[in-house]
Amino acid sequence: MALNRRDFLKSAAAATAASAVGIAVPSNLEASATEAQKDWRWDKAACRFCGTGCGIMLATKGGKIVAVKGDPAAPVNRGLNCIKGYFNAKIMYGADRLKQPLLRMNDKGEFDKKGKFKPVSWKRAFDEMEKHAKKALKASGPEGVAVFASGQYTVMEGYAAQKMMKAGFRSNAIDPNARHCMASAVVGFYQTFGIDEPSGCYDDIEITDTIVTWGSNMAEMHPILWSRVSDRKLSNPDKVKIVNIQTYTHRTCDIGDINIIFSPNTDLALWNYIAHEIVFRDKKGGGKEDIIDWDFLDENIVFTAGPANIGYGMRRKGEKSLVDGKYTAKEMETISKEMEKTVSAKEGPALEPFGYKEGDTMKNTPGTLKHWHISFEDYKKSLEPYTLDYTAKIVKGDPNESIEDFKKKLQALADLYIEKDRKVVSFWTMGMNQHTRGTWVNTLSYNVHFMLNKQALPGNGAFSLTGQPSACGTAREVGTFCHRLPADMMVKNPKHRAKAEKVWGLPAGTLNPVGNQHIMKIHRDIEDGVVKFAWVNVCNAYQDSASASHWIKAAREMDNFIVTSDGYPGISAKVSDLVLPSAMIYEKWGAYGNAERRTQHWRQQVLPVGDAMSDTWQWVEFAKRFTVKDLWGEQPLRGKNKDGSPKKLPNVIADALKMGYKEDTTMYDILFANDKAKSYKIAMDKFPQKGYDNSECNGDSRNVKGSDGEVFKGYGFMLHEYLFEEYASFGRGHGHDLAPFEVYHKVRGLKWPVVDGKETQWRFNVKYDPYAAKAVKESGSKSTHAFYGKLAKNLLQGNLTGPDKSKGKKALKNKAKIFARPYMDPPEMPDETYDTWLCTGRVLEHWHSGTMTMRVPELFRAVPEALCYMHPKDAKAKGLKRGELAWVASRRGKVKARVETRGRNRPPQGLVFVPWFDEKVFINKVCLDATCPMSKQTDYKKCAVSITKA
């Protein structure tokens, strides 16, 4: 029987999918697949979504992607994709795709902040950006120009943006939305290990006996990893145990052996309870068991503590917008706790070892990273409050669960960690990272694993899962955070700045040592009138930030110029003054780094839609507009030096001239088209370039008119390879080694450090990590591990209440740290007016702000709106029925959402869950912009709301 075209293609797709996972297919279907694909070009790429890093295969025909399937050769997903992964192509072909620049203008064709969007040329767009960036620099210096960057940047995009911002504009006001996602994990890594990123890898899943999820709905947020977890459970259901520790029940709980529902923020107490069980049951802690691996601890670990009165990362007294009265009395009820708070009955016992008791006034100072060496006895003292009775009383999150049943779960959890020869992996995502004590709770996880010697071993370890596709590879490894440089270097470190200046060909003293404009500070600086020019890159900064109404109002009503580069008109684009059409993922060459340190590359598969161009191109073209004279003279900074003189950056123009530059040499010539860059040749007849488009390097058949008004013909050198190789040079030989550009196009990613062509599975472990083996050999020890990170490894000594400076500092080379961190309340908790906890997050079908996935018809139909998930008893008490609209209101704003009392998310009484993908249910207007004071990561997981009928 003859097949029509649709059935023919469906049969071909089915046959292809079946063969990819090893299922035998009928010969007629196999023939159909072969016939349908005869003129398709298949090539590998990385998935656009989440930090798992799945490999996909893309088929192109006639300049369009026509099919997507999982890559059977990819070790992460082994041929499987989640529902979003299968729609990687459709995200590029939505009906309202942006195809040309749009500028707000009046009827005369002039820029008008109150005008309507009208199409303009790329040249006009760059003319306006140049004018307003120079205006911002004149008004506020380098701190007046800011970028909302992204964990969704490709490595090349992020590196290009960082170079222009930090080396060109001399501004560190660039920060990725990974600040909302992974910053607490990062600071936890730095404080614990002295270096960023996890020690384990996904292979732990198949080796371990126990998976514990902490605030991580892996079944929906990391579904491919959850399929591996499920497979592991089914392979040995009696031995393998799964424990889920969450604030509400969700799909991850469906196969849990133990499901623990905890009250928001009390995961701090829960980790300390497990540590209490370990210490007090151990013989050296006064117990009767041999639990702690003292040989491992004595060789590799030290005990540390830091201050408790660090605040909550909110605005502080005296900041301009507070003085100007831009915050309501209700908002100030919460913000006032940034300055001081009263120690509650709930947190009093936990804080007593640190010098505070119930009823005390705790005066807060801004968050500090300072910490000091303490004794084991001090650490033990910090754990004394976390008895089973105290912990169960404050942690239990389901009012309908009996306290005795809850205690049994806590005991069983501790027993699973402690059990000899039982391997344990602890996974977490936003539940632990989006937390006003996010850094603390991250470090607490390592305490438990270290004491049991269950870290950095196959099947054992605490592992932070990443939310975005390159939050690791671009935000962290490339260093697009405001305080970082590539390969774990820091802007405040003079040696690190000097190295970057040498690699980038800059005069000494060019780089700015002040890097404190994290994402929330950029928003606040716009509201305070300091930042006058802000550029949104590969994210949706005005939908993804808490207390969003403040930032939207500031963007629209104040004297500033906001630019958004995007594929679609999301909230950020609508808020902006200029919108630039960006090429989407497979319309450009790129690379991502996933959560297990795996770097993956792909080639440009198709031409961009309309006149869209990549973000890399946009940054490189923008660099043409600024010269040595424009940017490298003396520049003002906020604040004063210790001698009372105003802070400033030095004039480095004279030194630039000595280096051979001229006053009119552009940043393009220095940063992107220098001699080193031009040595990377276009080689369209050789792998990996052969047969693939390269819109930035060669131009393309669209004949897009570029930033100079002329048809863009390309740069004439392999820009992507240059950017990657220069970035990679920072880490090679320094424990962050990456393979060559060409190698990544031959493989399905490699986990760094890549040494002698081999990837590293378990870092810090002498058996698997060449850098650990080298460190142990050099030290002359016989340790199985070396925690060779260099940050914060020279500490003062003291006790739980502070350091003793008279004792001097102690070097801690190759050591990791166990931290004493107490339970503390969040700054906002339910009360009589706002009687319900709000938690936000994602759902399986949609990605972040929905800018892409809401344009895919199948995904939109599956989940067309964000719902307010709540307990049926709460709905009944508030006079609400399933399907009705309700107001979700906080001290900051309110939104309407449809009530759901059944389905995938099942909150306990007293808590509601609202996803944030739907701009029509703009839940981030309601959220509190409190952050972890150490990491500056926003806490979206808890604030107080009221629920009423709409």
Side-chain angles (χ1 to χ4, degrees):
M1 182 178 70
L3 294 174
N4 62 37
R5 182 180 181 276
R6 182 180 179 186
D7 289 340
F8 180 71
L9 289 175
K10 284 173 68 177
S11 298
T16 303
S19 62
V21 293
I23 299 173
V25 295
S27 58
N28 64 324
L29 284 184
E30 193 169 2
S32 295
T34 302
E35 177 63 23
Q37 298 176 35
K38 67 180 181 181
D39 54 354
W40 292 5
R41 180 187 70 187
W42 286 97
D43 196 27
K44 74 175 183 73
C47 178
R48 177 64 177 78
F49 304 108
C50 93
T52 300
C54 293
I56 61 173
M57 297 296 292
L58 300 169
T60 54
K61 177 183 178 181
K64 194 168 183 176
I65 298 174
V66 293
V68 178
K69 64 182 180 182
D71 183 356
V76 171
N77 56 309
R78 305 163 185 178
L80 294 176
N81 282 151
C82 77
I83 187 64
K84 291 189 297 294
Y86 288 113
F87 290 105
N88 265 289
K90 277 198 173 182
I91 63 172
M92 302 195 305
Y93 300 122
D96 59 343
R97 179 78 189 270
L98 294 168
K99 297 179 180 178
Q100 58 192 129
L102 303 170
L103 177 68
R104 289 188 184 274
M105 292 192 289
N106 58 27
D107 293 338
K108 297 178 183 178
E110 302 163 328
F111 166 67
D112 185 341
K113 197 163 180 73
K114 295 183 179 178
K116 299 219 169 149
F117 284 118
K118 297 179 183 178
V120 293
S121 66
W122 276 109
K123 181 179 185 303
R124 174 70 188 279
F126 281 108
D127 288 345
E128 292 290 343
M129 290 172 68
E130 176 189 351
K131 179 172 73 174
H132 288 281
K134 287 179 175 176
K135 179 181 174 183
L137 288 167
K138 186 175 181 180
S140 301
E143 292 166 313
V145 174
V147 174
F148 293 106
S150 180
Q152 298 168 61
Y153 269 145
T154 67
V155 167
M156 295 77 155
E157 287 167 346
Y159 187 67
Q162 174 176 234
K163 279 191 83 173
M164 183 57 200
M165 281 296 289
K166 294 178 180 177
F169 288 125
R170 308 175 79 183
S171 172
N172 292 321
I174 173 173
D175 210 52
N177 57 358
R179 178 72 69 176
H180 297 310
C181 162
M182 293 304 295
S184 293
V186 171
V187 181
F189 281 122
Y190 278 147
Q191 293 223 313
T192 302
F193 299 97
I195 190 172
D196 191 13
E197 303 228 11
S199 49
C201 61
Y202 298 158
D203 294 348
D204 287 324
I205 295 170
E206 282 75 28
I207 303 169
T208 195
D209 309 311
T210 318
I211 294 102
V212 187
T213 69
W214 292 77
S216 177
N217 185 359
M218 287 179 71
E220 293 201 54
M221 304 311 112
H222 297 87
I224 296 303
L225 294 182
W226 192 243
S227 72
R228 291 175 62 171
V229 169
S230 301
D231 184 60
R232 175 62 183 143
K233 172 66 177 173
L234 294 171
S235 70
N236 192 346
D238 294 330
K239 173 70 171 175
V240 176
K241 301 297 181 186
I242 296 176
V243 183
N244 299 298
I245 302 169
Q246 318 291 347
T247 58
Y248 63 94
T249 302
H250 45 57
R251 285 182 173 175
T252 299
C253 301
D254 290 348
I255 62 169
D257 295 282
I258 304 172
N259 292 314
I260 295 172
I261 303 300
F262 70 95
S263 179
N265 230 60
T266 62
D267 45 357
L268 290 157
L270 193 48
W271 276 115
N272 276 321
Y273 162 72
I274 301 169
H276 175 281
E277 288 290 290
I278 292 168
V279 167
F280 284 86
R281 283 165 55 177
D282 185 78
K283 286 180 179 178
K284 281 194 179 182
K288 298 179 180 179
E289 302 175 61
D290 290 317
I291 294 175
I292 298 175
D293 188 329
W294 285 104
D295 290 338
F296 175 80
L297 287 193
D298 292 342
E299 184 72 41
N300 298 291
I301 307 295
V302 296
F303 295 92
T304 51
N309 61 330
I310 59 176
Y312 299 99
M314 297 183 284
R315 279 193 174 276
R316 294 193 63 81
K317 186 177 180 180
E319 292 187 13
K320 189 174 186 303
S321 291
L322 292 187
V323 174
D324 291 348
K326 292 184 179 180
Y327 289 76
T328 67
K330 284 187 175 295
E331 288 176 294
M332 292 306 298
E333 290 174 2
T334 301
I335 293 173
S336 66
K337 294 177 185 175
E338 176 63 25
M339 279 54 80
E340 66 178 44
K341 60 160 289 177
T342 301
V343 175
S344 73
K346 187 175 179 181
E347 64 190 348
L351 286 169
E352 277 197 34
F354 295 83
Y356 299 92
K357 63 181 183 301
E358 180 187 348
D360 283 354
T361 297
M362 178 183 282
K363 293 190 178 295
N364 293 322
T365 55
T368 176
L369 299 178
K370 291 180 180 177
H371 53 281
W372 49 87
H373 191 291
I374 62 172
S375 68
F376 168 70
E377 289 304 318
D378 282 322
Y379 176 65
K380 179 183 172 183
K381 182 180 177 183
S382 78
L383 297 177
E384 285 178 358
Y386 302 97
T387 62
L388 181 59
D389 286 341
Y390 170 69
T391 304
K393 180 181 177 182
I394 70 168
V395 170
K396 188 169 77 75
D398 182 355
N400 296 314
E401 183 174 15
S402 78
I403 193 72
E404 292 307 317
D405 286 346
F406 191 70
K407 285 181 181 180
K408 289 177 183 176
K409 289 182 179 180
L410 300 193
Q411 289 176 313
L413 171 67
D415 288 343
L416 284 173
Y417 274 102
I418 290 170
E419 184 182 325
K420 291 288 186 185
D421 300 321
R422 173 170 283 277
K423 296 177 181 178
V424 184
V425 176
S426 303
F427 284 121
W428 66 90
T429 322
M430 297 308 106
M432 273 173 52
N433 291 339
Q434 291 177 344
H435 200 306
T436 53
R437 291 294 182 268
T439 299
W440 286 12
V441 75
N442 268 264
T443 59
L444 290 179
S445 69
Y446 302 117
N447 294 359
V448 167
H449 282 266
F450 281 149
M451 285 192 287
L452 301 170
N453 192 6
K454 294 184 178 183
Q455 181 68 31
L457 288 164
N460 278 307
F463 195 118
S464 171
L465 293 170
T466 317
Q468 297 185 81
S470 204
C472 292
T474 310
R476 295 157 70 174
E477 295 161 22
V478 170
T480 51
F481 283 99
C482 65
H483 62 290
R484 288 178 71 164
L485 291 165
D488 278 342
M489 298 198 306
M490 302 291 169
V491 299
K492 71 177 181 180
N493 187 315
K495 292 181 180 178
H496 293 175
R497 294 197 305 275
K499 179 176 179 178
E501 286 165 347
K502 183 177 180 181
V503 173
W504 289 344
L506 312 176
T510 302
L511 293 182
N512 182 350
V514 181
N516 60 16
Q517 285 175 279
H518 54 88
I519 271 195
M520 289 315 307
K521 185 164 176 56
I522 292 173
H523 277 305
R524 292 166 186 168
D525 280 348
I526 293 172
E527 189 176 50
D528 288 348
V530 175
V531 169
K532 304 282 189 182
F533 177 94
W535 191 356
V536 179
N537 285 186
V538 204
C539 66
N540 196 348
Y542 284 92
Q543 186 174 340
D544 71 23
S545 289
S547 197
S549 295
H550 273 277
W551 325 128
I552 289 174
K553 184 176 181 181
R556 293 302 312 128
E557 297 181 5
M558 296 189 69
D559 177 24
N560 52 45
F561 191 76
I562 312 295
V563 184
T564 291
S565 296
D566 207 338
Y568 291 104
I571 286 178
S572 296
K574 294 166 188 172
V575 165
S576 296
D577 302 302
L578 174 66
V579 181
L580 303 179
S582 284
M584 294 185 69
I585 179 167
Y586 310 117
E587 298 169 339
K588 57 194 177 187
W589 289 66
Y592 281 159
N594 81 342
E596 62 168 353
R597 294 172 279 108
R598 182 181 299 276
T599 308
Q600 301 183 80
H601 284 234
W602 67 89
R603 298 180 278 199
Q604 181 177 340
Q605 302 297 314
V606 291
L607 297 184
V609 169
D611 286 346
M613 294 295 286
S614 75
D615 291 75
T616 303
W617 180 88
Q618 293 174 35
W619 273 105
V620 173
E621 291 302 294
F622 198 38
K624 293 178 178 178
R625 300 299 185 105
F626 298 90
T627 66
V628 167
K629 185 177 182 181
D630 291 332
L631 301 181
W632 286 0
E634 184 177 279
Q635 297 285 354
L637 296 174
R638 283 177 288 185
K640 295 184 181 298
N641 296 310
K642 290 181 180 179
D643 62 3
S645 61
K647 281 189 176 181
K648 56 189 177 183
L649 295 174
N651 186 324
V652 296
I653 293 176
D655 290 335
L657 299 181
K658 291 176 186 176
M659 295 173 71
Y661 302 133
K662 299 178 181 177
E663 287 193 346
D664 63 353
T665 302
T666 68
M667 292 299 123
Y668 167 75
D669 294 314
I670 296 170
L671 302 177
F672 301 114
N674 50 57
D675 290 341
K676 183 168 57 173
K678 291 177 180 177
S679 70
Y680 289 90
K681 302 297 184 184
I682 297 293
M684 298 306 295
D685 58 337
K686 295 179 182 177
F687 178 86
Q689 298 177 46
K690 186 176 181 180
Y692 288 84
D693 289 305
N694 194 327
S695 294
E696 296 94 332
C697 301
N698 295 330
D700 61 49
S701 59
R702 295 174 301 152
N703 291 322
V704 174
K705 290 187 177 180
S707 64
D708 59 359
E710 302 296 322
V711 172
F712 180 70
K713 298 291 188 182
Y715 297 120
F717 57 92
M718 188 53 177
L719 175 67
H720 313 293
E721 185 173 9
Y722 160 63
L723 291 173
F724 179 80
E725 287 295 330
E726 185 179 87
Y727 149 64
S729 71
F730 282 96
R732 289 175 179 150
H734 303 284
H736 201 302
D737 308 63
L738 296 168
F741 179 84
E742 183 175 321
V743 168
Y744 285 112
H745 287 281
K746 296 177 179 177
V747 300
R748 264 56 176 184
L750 294 169
K751 296 186 286 287
W752 61 264
V754 181
V755 180
D756 297 328
K758 296 179 181 178
E759 65 179 6
T760 299
Q761 289 174 287
W762 290 277
R763 294 169 78 206
F764 314 126
N765 187 315
V766 169
K767 185 176 180 180
Y768 301 97
D769 183 346
Y771 280 93
K774 180 182 178 184
V776 166
K777 184 178 181 180
E778 289 176 349
S779 69
S781 80
K782 295 183 179 180
S783 177
T784 56
H785 291 73
F787 298 101
Y788 49 78
K790 294 180 179 179
L791 290 175
K793 290 295 184 74
N794 195 21
L795 296 183
L796 289 169
Q797 300 174 67
N799 57 32
L800 293 174
T801 58
D804 183 348
K805 294 183 180 179
S806 68
K807 292 184 177 179
K809 290 189 173 182
K810 186 174 181 180
L812 306 170
K813 188 175 183 180
N814 291 334
K815 303 281 189 180
K817 301 167 195 168
I818 284 176
F819 278 89
R821 308 285 204 195
Y823 164 75
M824 288 185 72
D825 295 335
E828 187 172 278
M829 302 172 73
D831 56 22
E832 289 184 4
T833 305
Y834 301 98
D835 61 356
T836 302
W837 286 110
L838 167 68
C839 179
T840 64
R842 293 197 283 118
V843 295
L844 170 67
E845 294 83 357
H846 289 298
W847 173 244
H848 282 198
S849 61
T851 312
M852 294 177 287
T853 52
M854 288 288 272
R855 266 81 182 180
V856 176
E858 293 87 345
L859 297 178
F860 178 81
R861 285 196 299 269
V863 183
E865 63 179 329
L867 303 173
C868 177
Y869 293 89
M870 63 191 304
H871 194 279
K873 288 183 180 179
D874 281 343
K876 185 177 180 180
K878 296 175 187 300
L880 292 163
K881 294 180 181 178
R882 181 173 181 249
E884 289 185 337
L885 289 173
W887 285 110
V888 181
S890 72
R891 290 170 172 83
R892 292 154 295 280
K894 62 180 184 178
V895 298
K896 280 182 187 177
R898 199 171 305 281
V899 172
E900 177 57 87
T901 57
R902 303 196 308 224
R904 62 175 78 181
N905 299 304
R906 303 179 291 283
Q909 281 186 263
L911 184 144
V912 296
F913 171 74
V914 183
W916 69 281
F917 67 84
D918 186 354
E919 65 180 54
K920 293 178 181 177
V921 183
F922 193 177
I923 197 63
N924 281 344
K925 293 193 299 182
V926 177
C927 293
L928 173 64
D929 63 318
T931 71
C932 168
M934 301 170 79
S935 71
K936 318 303 181 189
Q937 178 161 354
T938 321
D939 188 345
Y940 295 91
K941 296 300 178 183
K942 58 197 77 76
C943 71
V945 296
S946 64
I947 311 291
T948 55
K949 195 166 186 174

